[in-house]
Structure formats: C-alpha cells, structure tokens
Amino acid sequence: MTVQGRSFKIAVFVHLFYTHSYVEFQSILSGLKNLDPLYLFNIGPSPEPHALIEQIKTDFPGALVLQSPNIGKDIGGKLALLDLYLSSGVKSDLFIFLHDKVSPQILNGEKWRNQLLKIVRTDTCAEIVNLFNQCPQLGLVGASEHLSNEYNPENRNFNSTNNLILKEYIHKFGLSLTDYTFIAGNMFWVRSRIYEDFFNKFRPLQLRAGLEKGNVTDAETGTHTHSLERIFSWIAQSQGYQIKGV
Amino acid sequence: MFLKPVFISSAGRFTDKVLHEKDATYAIRLTPEALWSAHNSVFETYFQSPDPCSVCLDLTKTKRLTEQELQLIEQGIARVSFSPSYLKHGDAPVILLLTSQDSDQQFIDLVKKRIESTLLAQGFELALLFALTDGLQNIQQNVERCYYLNLTHGDLPTNLVRINELYEENIVMNAFFFMNCSENTECFQIIQEIVLAEQRFAARKPTVYALMQQLQALEAERDLLISENKRTQVLVQDGSNYLKQLKQDAGSTILWWENENQKIIRFYQTEYESLPLWYKRFGHLIKKMF
C-alpha cells in the first residue's frame, strides 16, 4: 500500500521506545480507526524488531515504521518521523503526537500517562475534531491536567533547569510569544500546517542532531531535549494560534 | 552464505523484487540529485522493502557539491538509514560511494566524512562507508573486508573463478561483496556460484568450515547480547533515576514531618510550658471543679 503523495485527515506520530508497550497501543489507537489516519511509528532498540514491525504493518496497513537510534527521547523519535512525513509528500489536516510515556523514573508516571492518552479516546477524538472545525484559531490541543507554564514575568526567566536553553531556542527560531503555556508530556493534536511551515524551515534532522543521547532527565541540569518539548507547543502560539486543554 | 553479496542496482530495477535469496541484499544506486529531490519515489522503497537495502551514492559524475547540497545528502542518507530494512552491520549502517577513476580524492573524502559525522550525530555509534571505484574490472579488497566486483562491462567467468579463490583464501568471514550488475540474470549466477563455492569449500575443509560456522553463530550471539546489554543499561538508568526521585521525595516528606513536629513543640512551649506554675495549677483546679 503506497502512501506517497496521498492526503489524509489525520497523521498519527507514535514513538514507542519500550517495544513491549505496543500491545497496549494497539487498543489505545483503535479509537482512531474510524478517522482512517496515516500512522507513522518509530520503535526503540530491539534485538529482534522484525516481528514487531510486521505486527504493526498488519494492524495498521500503510503504516510507515522507523527504527532510529535513541537520541532526544520521544522528541528525537518524533523529529525523525516528522522528517519522514515531510519528505514523503503526504498531506494531512491534523497531526497527533503520542508516545509510550512509560516514565519508570517518575513516581506517578502511570497516572500522568493515562491522563495524556485520553486525547485518543473515541469520545475525546470526536470532541477535538469538532473543536478544530469550529475554531480556526485553535492550534494545539492536549490534556488539560498537563497544561503547564513555567514563565515568571517578574524576572523574565523560566522556573526550570532549562531556562537558558529555552531562551536560546526562542531566539534561534524567532518565536514571538506572549503565552508560554505548553503541554507537559508532549502528547497532543496540532494543525498540520503549523508544523509543516516550521519544520520546512528548521529541518527536523538538523534539530535532532543537537539532542542528547540516551534517557536523559532535566531534574538537575537543563537539556535540549526537554527544552524542545516546550518549543513544540510554542510553535503554534508563535504563529498566532491558541492552545487548549480537554 | 559467508560471503554477503550486495547488488548495486538502479531504483527502477529494485522494484522488480526478483531477489529473495538469503543474505543477498541491494544497494540502490542514486545520484545526489535523486537523493535530495523532494518526494522522490525511492524513499518509500526503503520503508516498505521486506529485503535489506542500502544507499549507493553515485558520485561518478559529480565533481563538487554546495554546502546546501551536502546537507541535503546527509539528511537523505540519515532518513533512509532509519528504515528497519536498511542494511546494517551490527548497528552500523552501510553506505556505498561510487566514484570514478578520475574522481577528486579530497572531494570524496569530504563527502565520506560529512556523511559519517551526520550519522554519528543522529545516534549511530558507527557507520560503515565504502568508496568503490567504478570502471574497475577486478575484485578489490580493502581493510574493511569489502570486495567490489563490477560486472557492468561483463567479465563474469573471471569473477566466478575469483569467488572460489576468496573461499580458498579464507577471507570470506563477514565480508561484503558489492556487485555492480547490469542484468538480473548475472545476480542469480553470482548467488548460485557463491552457494556452490561455499559447498565445495565445506567439503574440502570441513573442520575449518565448522569452525567458521561456530564463529558466525557466536558473533550473532555476541551482537544480540550487546543489544540486550544496551536495553538493560537503559532500564538500570531508569531505575536509578526512579530511586533518586524516591529519595528526594522521601527526604522532603521527612523534612515536612520534622517541621510539623517543631511547630507542635513550639506551640506547646509558647502556649503552655511558658505559663507560670501557679497559673497552670489554678487551671487544673478549675478543670477538676467542672
């Protein structure tokens, strides 16, 4: 099944670092099937990936599957998928970004994950599609529990270890922002054209090359990976679009 | 097969999908323009192919590249190397650069270096780049255990003899055997000849052959263990981070209780203990009266 040059309503970008989490994602993604999206998967390191790839292609015919080295965590994986999407000539109206978010380093990781993944439940999907149809200025939608803002207008700094890198990125990308809200956890819906415009200018693989290797955290020092996570939300705001929680 | 044939082919012929022999793989011959042109028809081949395939960047007619063109080549190769079907040796992607005898060596070295550093920046620990010179009739060997056979001009019988010699010289272990074939039939002849050469070698030197098989199995097991080790390292790191956070959280919980404790003690001190003794005894009397 060829996808080149085709148009889709929705393109779903899925990064699965822990390959065992695919079983759960099979049912999570079933909520999207009636929307007939294009699926793009990036799977993590696995000694025997071929069985999983075959399973994905059987479950989601036409899906494109990547296996990129582990840099930039889910952000690195999503950038590799974005690069593939942009080079494929495929068109779509909306993107959905998801990842397995196993987060074994976080104490309440499972609760966090379930909240983030509600954006692909069948009932929520219908609600989000309606929101995008009704509000042309809506750019990005994620779980309301994870709308976050670290900006302190008094000292013009971010209450985050990523403060300096965030400022560097804002300058580099020429982002014009009044609202610094972002979706912590990086799972959301976004209008395709917002990202198409941005990532045709700032090539995903070039950005990916600047990210940290391995499963990095920003608990003690800032990282380009966690900074870019915030930028993913601000790209929409910088183009004049709104961000909304469901 | 110990000798792994990689057939260099144009994209059009690749789609014929006529080769399904074990260990026989393709390298798609692409000009720089084909690699960087947007939405080219080749990209999907890499992601839909059931067979391993790699890039053979044809630089035979390219004398120079602009910085932008180099970047596009780097990105194009990085993109296809993420395909699960991309030909890898261990975890290292294999990339061929086809050059001509009058190619500028400095230019080829630059392209090679740029592609290599891009792949390393994209997270690969190693990239295997082979520069092959077009127009040579004979098999070439270099330090990377790579052999190149150019059949474009047709010299099949001589090269079939050479395949036997490679087995006799015991230099087939983990060797890539790149072949620039113009006809699919030649590819089949080559595969058949490798199979026969290996059978003859096994019959003539059974002990050596058995040891080679053992070595190959052990190397495969080693690769699997390296891969498992990397996954385990990630899980250990995750566990370590979890414990670190648990410790931090536990530390802050203990601190909170200590503060609460201090508050209660302070309250007791200021609201009761500091009162004069007669006042407290008077209070006890009132308490007893009621």
Side-chain angles (χ1 to χ4, degrees), chain A residues 118 127 131 138 140-147 183 243-246:
Chain A
K118 74 175 176 187
E127 182 191 340
L131 284 171
L138 181 62
L140 202 132
V141 176
S144 56
E145 298 88 341
H146 296 280
L147 290 182
I183 293 170
I243 182 167
K244 189 173 170 60
V246 288

Side-chain angles (χ1 to χ4, degrees), chain A residues 32-53:
Chain A
L32 293 167
K33 274 197 172 166
N34 57 347
L35 296 168
D36 191 25
L38 166 69
Y39 292 96
L40 299 102
F41 284 87
N42 185 47
I43 59 168
S46 166
E48 302 287 348
H50 297 289
L52 174 62
I53 292 162

Side-chain angles (χ1 to χ4, degrees), chain A residues 171-191:
Chain A
H171 177 71
K172 178 181 174 181
F173 300 138
L175 300 182
S176 167
L177 297 163
T178 50
D179 178 11
Y180 293 90
T181 305
F182 69 97
I183 293 170
N186 218 41
M187 292 197 222
F188 54 84
W189 292 57
V190 63
R191 278 190 201 280

